[in-house]
Amino acid sequence: MKSTSRSLPRLNDHALRQRFAALVANDRQTTAGLLRCIDEIDRRKLWAEDACSSMFAWCVKFYRMSESMVSKRLRAARTARAYPLVFEMVERGELHLTGITQLAAHLTEENHRAVLTRAKHLTMREIEHLVAEIAPRCEQTRLAAAAQR
């Protein structure tokens, strides 16, 4: 059922809540699909065919996306490329884009499953606390790996 802004006031509370839930679910599907497309276009460097210097510039110039919108989605898509579980979590509504951008720098091949599982359904502030907890461990892991080289 397609609702316009004029039809929304006519909906009863239950129908309005159902409409909202459907839109949220659709948004999650669309966001996950957009991240997958961003990832694939970026991987293929298709933006270069339009004489753009980067995926970021291409999205801003040709699709009139705000810098903030592109930055967050590009970071999320690149994180999901490295850790495909992110695509699935976004699609299921378990992880939001802000959370991904907060976690991205702290995910490793060794910790990403555990960290992403812990981040499931957390708010932005809760993810900030998670990052504060894991960040020292990530730095120690990085330093230990560097020392072994």
Side-chain angles (χ1 to χ4, degrees):
M1 167 216 268
K2 188 174 179 180
S3 297
T4 65
S5 59
R6 283 184 249 174
S7 67
L8 291 177
R10 291 186 226 137
L11 294 177
N12 65 37
D13 292 352
H14 178 73
L16 181 57
R17 285 175 186 247
Q18 282 185 317
R19 178 68 183 141
F20 182 77
L23 288 168
V24 169
N26 184 274
D27 183 62
R28 289 174 178 154
Q29 297 279 320
T30 300
T31 298
L34 183 62
L35 294 180
R36 284 185 168 98
C37 282
I38 288 170
D39 172 52
E40 191 62 23
I41 290 167
D42 189 38
R43 189 182 62 73
R44 294 183 195 186
K45 297 183 181 350
L46 297 180
W47 38 265
E49 293 177 14
D50 291 320
C52 285
S53 61
S54 67
M55 179 73 179
F56 182 90
W58 187 72
C59 288
V60 171
K61 180 177 180 178
F62 288 95
Y63 293 93
R64 305 291 185 249
M65 296 166 79
S66 72
E67 290 87 345
S68 174
M69 181 182 186
V70 175
S71 181
K72 192 175 283 188
R73 281 155 184 77
L74 188 53
R75 180 84 187 251
R78 288 175 176 165
T79 301
R81 178 188 306 163
Y83 311 108
L85 177 59
V86 171
F87 286 130
E88 298 165 26
M89 292 181 77
V90 169
E91 197 165 28
R92 292 188 302 254
E94 297 171 348
L95 189 61
H96 48 80
L97 294 176
T98 301
I100 298 166
T101 60
Q102 289 176 298
L103 292 168
H106 307 287
L107 297 174
T108 65
E109 193 56 43
E110 294 77 27
N111 78 2
H112 76 278
R113 288 198 179 280
V115 171
L116 292 171
T117 298
R118 288 184 63 194
K120 184 177 175 178
H121 299 300
L122 295 185
T123 66
M124 188 176 78
R125 292 205 199 265
E126 291 167 333
I127 290 176
E128 286 172 359
H129 291 291
L130 175 59
V131 167
E133 179 186 325
I134 66 169
R137 284 192 262 167
C138 288
E139 184 61 17
Q140 289 171 351
T141 301
R142 187 188 66 73
L143 292 173
Q148 290 178 348
R149 290 184 204 148

